[in-house]
Amino acid sequence: MKSRTRFAPSPTGYMHIGNLRTALYEYLIAKRDGGQFILRIEDTDQKRYVEGATDIIYNTLKTVGMNWDEGPDVGGEYGPYVQSERLSLYQEYAHKLVELGGAHYCFCSKDEVDEQKDDETNTKFVDPCKNISLEEAKKRVLNGEPFVIRQTINKKGKSLFNDVVYGEIEIDYDELDEGVLLKSDGFPTYNFANVVDDHLMKITHVVRGNEYISSTPKYNLIYEAFGWEPPIYVHVAQVMKDAHHKLSKRNGDASFQDLVAKGYLPEAILNYIALLGWNPGTEQEIFSLKELERVFDANRLNKSPAIFDIQKLKWMNGCYIRELDFDKFHKLAEKEYAKFLTKDINKVELSKVLQPRIETLLDIKEQVMFIEELPAYSKELFVNKKMKTDVEIAENSLKLAFNALEGLNVWTNESIFECLKGVAVENGLKNGQVLYPVRIALTGLETTPGGASEIASILGKEESLARLKKAI
């Protein structure tokens, strides 16, 4: 039987990196053996629903190339794929579970529940309604008395289950609380809806954060009560911002959309998060999605938390930028130029200079703002021991370079470079004694994204001569 996995996000805002990683692992498990990847929207928590968040989910998955085989927009045999459209199903199965002894009707008020519970002392709510006979409880329901359906946990001893990452796990039944499965408004809780949906949609593997390990025995009791086969569990360790703090959108940590806005390529982000908790078993670090589909093995997921290293992501993003087809890079770069460049320059030449030198698209502005406005600089910048220049040599070289370039008819990187080399030869100077001062005069910066001739070709003849004249 081929794998069937599901990504079941809540539409509560931007795509958190941890959520996208879960989706990726679900996707790869399915695609590894030619199975199906299902998208299900879990919108039963109406209080946290954010308008437009479902579109963010769709757009994010499509942007990174993780297309789903079944889902709200494409349909499928096991729909509907939005939980709020499945309420009658949950209600039907919740009442069935009561009949089977796996749940019971609870008529207690929220205040009565809160009075008993104490998170600090780990005191759980002991529901007195468990002692009401099913017959009496049904009468009270029919009479219109408000109720919830709570899980019934009568088992003692240890719950044993297997997990792909953590192996055999043992949890004492006494540690479990009898949580609400169906709320008084008829909406299910996550703990119930995901079990019903995973069974009805024939899901074979469930990937989720390891914080859900402690709840898994409760899910298994529901499966057991219905006589259903539980899925294969794959609990993944958390993504951390450092050794002590979890990466979390609630704490303002970067979402997928934030990273894209900061100049990271979607394919680089996806590659990086694949390695946040998974070891390919080789030295290879750069993987396309197609390559990941072939080599991913859930058995190589790590038990330890993964720390999100923005510097490693930057390095990887730089690798992806350098490997881009030039035309594609130029289109991306032009979008950045449009944000701050107003001068008429050779943008194609600028992109050629930048592509090998930047790590994120936002690096572009930092590297080329000198084009928009020449920064103020001290003449001391012309002093460079390595290039054997000082202020006097620089002034002489700039005059010679200006005169030679003024008469240059073909204005390209190659022709400018040959012209400046000729100036050096004709005047007994080293190449650096001409090229270095020209570069400083054109940019006002010690470090630039290109050499003198490259910068001049980008600026154009008129602007280049104007800057040289100003330096002289």
Side-chain angles (χ1 to χ4, degrees):
M1 182 179 175
K2 290 185 176 179
S3 301
R4 281 179 61 82
T5 64
R6 50 68 168 174
F7 178 47
S10 298
T12 56
Y14 289 122
M15 181 72 79
H16 174 45
I17 288 300
N19 286 350
L20 185 57
R21 186 188 66 162
T22 297
L24 176 60
Y25 291 164
E26 294 266 17
Y27 175 87
L28 295 175
I29 288 170
K31 296 306 171 184
R32 177 77 187 268
D33 67 1
Q36 288 83 44
F37 174 61
I38 293 97
L39 176 61
R40 185 172 78 217
I41 303 298
E42 296 197 343
D43 63 343
T44 55
D45 189 346
Q46 295 290 294
K47 291 179 182 176
R48 294 181 61 216
Y49 178 80
V50 174
E51 193 68 39
T54 300
D55 288 333
I56 288 173
I57 294 165
Y58 291 160
N59 293 336
T60 300
L61 295 180
K62 287 176 181 175
T63 297
V64 297
M66 284 197 294
N67 298 311
W68 48 99
D69 302 293
E70 300 170 27
D73 56 337
V74 297
E77 189 179 344
Y78 303 98
Y81 294 90
V82 178
Q83 285 191 333
S84 59
E85 298 173 16
R86 299 169 64 85
L87 295 184
S88 60
L89 270 172
Y90 307 130
Q91 291 161 7
E92 175 192 344
Y93 279 98
H95 289 287
K96 272 186 186 178
L97 191 61
V98 172
E99 297 285 347
L100 292 168
H104 60 274
Y105 298 108
C106 173
F107 304 94
C108 297
S109 68
K110 185 178 183 301
D111 288 342
E112 289 173 309
V113 175
D114 289 343
E115 275 178 23
Q116 271 203 50
K117 287 175 68 175
D118 188 336
D119 292 335
E120 286 187 15
T121 60
N122 200 28
T123 302
K124 297 177 180 64
F125 172 62
V126 180
D127 190 1
C129 299
K130 279 178 72 172
N131 301 319
I132 301 172
S133 69
L134 182 56
E135 186 180 4
E136 184 187 342
K138 283 183 175 180
K139 284 180 185 176
R140 291 172 69 171
V141 169
L142 288 171
N143 288 335
E145 190 172 340
F147 71 92
V148 299
I149 293 180
R150 282 187 184 278
Q151 187 167 12
T152 301
I153 302 175
N154 290 325
K155 279 202 169 187
K156 297 295 178 185
K158 304 285 186 182
S159 165
L160 296 174
F161 63 95
N162 196 66
D163 181 80
V164 169
V165 178
Y166 293 91
E168 189 169 81
I169 297 172
E170 185 179 282
I171 293 175
D172 199 310
Y173 283 115
D174 287 341
E175 295 178 18
L176 309 180
D177 66 313
E178 296 183 318
V180 173
L181 303 181
L182 193 73
K183 295 179 279 188
S184 57
D185 60 3
F187 275 77
T189 58
Y190 168 84
N191 288 334
F192 186 59
N194 83 89
V195 171
V196 172
D197 287 344
D198 287 345
H199 170 72
L200 295 180
M201 294 180 183
K202 301 189 184 301
I203 300 303
T204 61
H205 297 71
V206 169
V207 180
R208 59 182 169 227
N210 61 7
E211 65 268 29
Y212 289 101
I213 287 177
S214 60
S215 300
T216 302
K218 296 199 289 188
Y219 308 146
N220 284 344
L221 287 174
I222 298 172
Y223 283 109
E224 187 180 311
F226 282 119
W228 298 340
E229 185 73 25
I232 295 168
Y233 294 115
V234 185
H235 287 94
V236 292
Q238 294 174 336
V239 180
M240 309 288 286
K241 67 191 299 182
D242 55 44
H244 305 290
H245 300 94
K246 188 170 70 168
L247 199 69
S248 168
K249 61 183 175 185
R250 291 183 184 179
N251 296 332
D253 293 321
S255 66
F256 172 79
Q257 285 73 21
D258 292 330
L259 290 172
V260 171
K262 289 176 180 178
Y264 293 90
L265 303 180
E267 50 267 48
I269 299 169
L270 197 71
N271 186 161
Y272 179 67
I273 66 172
L275 300 173
L276 279 177
W278 174 70
N279 179 359
T282 65
E283 295 299 312
Q284 184 176 346
E285 292 187 285
I286 305 299
F287 292 92
S288 68
L289 185 57
K290 285 294 177 190
E291 286 176 310
L292 287 170
E293 288 176 22
R294 289 196 302 271
V295 304
F296 182 79
D297 181 356
N299 291 299
R300 298 198 65 86
L301 287 167
N302 300 325
K303 297 176 183 177
S304 303
I307 293 179
F308 188 89
D309 182 350
I310 195 69
Q311 295 306 319
K312 182 67 178 283
L313 174 59
K314 267 188 182 178
W315 166 81
M316 187 171 284
N317 199 67
C319 293
Y320 270 85
I321 284 176
R322 289 187 286 280
E323 289 300 315
L324 279 178
D325 173 80
F326 175 74
D327 289 339
K328 185 174 181 181
F329 172 75
H330 182 54
K331 284 179 183 176
L332 292 171
E334 281 191 304
K335 291 178 183 176
E336 297 302 316
Y337 304 152
K339 296 175 185 177
F340 63 92
L341 278 183
T342 61
K343 289 190 179 294
D344 183 20
I345 59 164
N346 190 330
K347 294 185 176 71
V348 171
E349 286 301 312
L350 178 57
S351 292
K352 286 179 182 176
V353 166
L354 289 173
Q355 187 172 7
R357 292 175 167 91
I358 62 169
E359 290 186 309
T360 76
L361 295 174
L362 288 199
D363 291 347
I364 290 174
K365 182 176 182 179
E366 184 183 340
Q367 295 222 22
V368 304
M369 272 306 291
F370 71 86
I371 292 174
E372 188 65 13
E373 185 177 359
L374 182 67
Y377 62 95
S378 166
K379 285 192 174 183
E380 292 304 310
L381 204 55
F382 288 115
V383 180
N384 188 301
K385 287 184 180 179
K386 186 178 178 182
M387 295 298 173
K388 296 183 170 54
T389 65
D390 55 27
V391 174
E392 188 179 339
I393 292 171
E395 287 179 350
N396 180 53
S397 294
L398 290 175
K399 288 174 186 175
L400 295 170
F402 180 88
N403 293 333
L405 291 173
E406 191 177 29
L408 191 65
N409 294 321
V410 179
W411 196 264
T412 65
N413 175 32
E414 292 77 13
S415 63
I416 296 166
F417 184 70
E418 290 303 321
C419 177
L420 293 176
K421 274 200 339 182
V423 168
V425 171
E426 290 166 17
N427 294 278
L429 298 167
K430 293 186 178 297
N431 288 342
Q433 289 177 308
V434 175
L435 294 170
Y436 180 77
V438 168
R439 182 168 65 83
I440 297 299
L442 294 177
T443 66
L445 301 170
E446 188 173 6
T447 304
T448 57
S453 58
E454 291 171 312
I455 300 296
S457 70
I458 290 164
L459 290 172
K461 185 173 182 178
E462 184 180 345
E463 179 69 16
S464 295
L465 291 176
R467 291 189 179 197
L468 289 173
K469 193 170 185 179
K470 183 178 180 180
I472 295 167

